Amino acid sequence: MALDNKLGIETDVELAREEERLTKARALELFEGGLLDSCEAGTFAGLAKIHGYLFQDVYEFAGKRRTVNIAKGSFRFVPCLYLEGALTAIDKMPQSTYDEIIEKYVEMNVAHPFREGNGRSMRIWLDCILKSELGQVVDWSLVNKEDYLFAMERSPVRDTEIKALLASALTGAVDDRQVYMKGIDASYRYEGYSAYRTEEFHGQT
């Protein structure tokens, strides 16, 4: 059974296609409308704004902290009981250097504050912090899927790999539409979404 959704879709496959189509169009709007620049970089409120915008057409819980416990494989994300405290602590983490920013990103991933759509929202959120603090973003199209997933899986114990991997893909082209669109497509591929390309939605926003 598919997650409860605004579209009334009952199968996982159909929901995945529609979710990808609708949220990629919203991701392009975030960029072209300058909405990302209005998000508070490095806070849960900023992340919630991104998530809420991306998933507004699909889920009632868009932008809202989850109320259920979730896990991926054998790894359990922060339990609901402790989620609010964890997010408050993450908000207070420093973000003035590259290492601090990635450490904050890793902690937010451990928190996984939403029922669905955490990774895709958090990668945009990470770029907002990097742009705000360092004048750079990750060119996600240069980051191999398997390398990324392995590094993120290891990151709660050892963050060296994810720091090195993302550092090698940093670019100063923070306002480049092509870098952004290719990055969104790569980000979605990490999660298994590859039916559409973001450039297909250019001009529809």
Side-chain angles (χ1 to χ4, degrees):
M1 287 292 290
L3 274 178
D4 284 344
N5 59 84
K6 292 182 173 183
L7 308 172
I9 294 173
E10 296 182 355
T11 67
D12 284 335
V13 174
E14 186 183 355
L15 178 59
R17 281 187 64 89
E18 281 302 288
E19 180 185 309
E20 181 184 355
R21 183 178 68 82
L22 292 166
T23 59
K24 277 188 173 177
R26 290 297 190 185
L28 193 52
E29 287 179 12
L30 273 175
F31 180 82
E32 296 194 327
L35 297 170
L36 290 175
D37 294 328
S38 68
C39 290
E40 193 177 356
T43 66
F44 172 66
L47 176 59
K49 187 173 181 179
I50 292 167
H51 187 275
Y53 198 88
L54 285 180
F55 293 94
Q56 62 182 298
D57 306 304
V58 186
Y59 299 118
E60 293 290 350
F61 59 72
K64 299 174 183 174
R65 201 171 68 232
R66 61 180 162 84
T67 56
V68 295
N69 292 330
I70 58 174
K72 189 170 189 175
S74 60
F75 186 83
R76 296 187 176 278
F77 298 106
V78 172
C80 288
L81 184 63
Y82 305 110
L83 186 54
E84 185 175 1
L87 294 173
T88 299
I90 292 168
D91 276 1
K92 295 176 181 176
M93 288 178 70
Q95 56 184 48
S96 59
T97 68
Y98 173 77
D99 280 2
E100 288 174 350
I101 292 168
I102 301 304
E103 286 157 15
K104 192 167 199 170
Y105 173 61
V106 166
E107 287 303 309
M108 187 62 84
N109 186 60
V110 171
H112 244 58
F114 309 112
R115 180 67 183 86
E116 173 65 33
N118 288 279
R120 286 166 285 169
S121 302
M122 278 189 279
R123 285 185 284 275
I124 295 173
W125 179 76
L126 171 59
D127 277 337
C128 285
I129 310 174
L130 289 167
K131 179 180 178 180
S132 172
E133 300 291 340
L134 306 180
Q136 294 181 297
V137 293
V138 177
D139 184 345
W140 295 98
S141 69
L142 302 179
V143 181
N144 176 270
K145 175 181 177 177
E146 285 72 28
D147 291 346
Y148 170 78
L149 293 176
F150 177 75
M152 286 305 292
E153 186 179 321
R154 294 260 296 152
S155 65
V157 176
R158 181 181 171 85
D159 61 18
T160 312
E161 290 99 329
I162 193 63
K163 284 178 177 175
L165 184 66
L166 298 185
S168 69
L170 288 175
T171 174
V174 296
D175 295 316
D176 188 298
R177 183 185 282 108
Q178 281 300 119
V179 169
Y180 180 80
M181 289 196 295
K182 287 191 302 179
I184 292 295
D185 288 341
S187 175
Y188 273 63
R189 278 196 300 275
Y190 302 153
E191 315 290 345
Y193 296 89
S194 57
Y196 301 95
R197 289 189 301 169
T198 306
E199 67 180 18
E200 295 175 41
F201 306 107
H202 181 58
Q204 296 182 27
T205 56

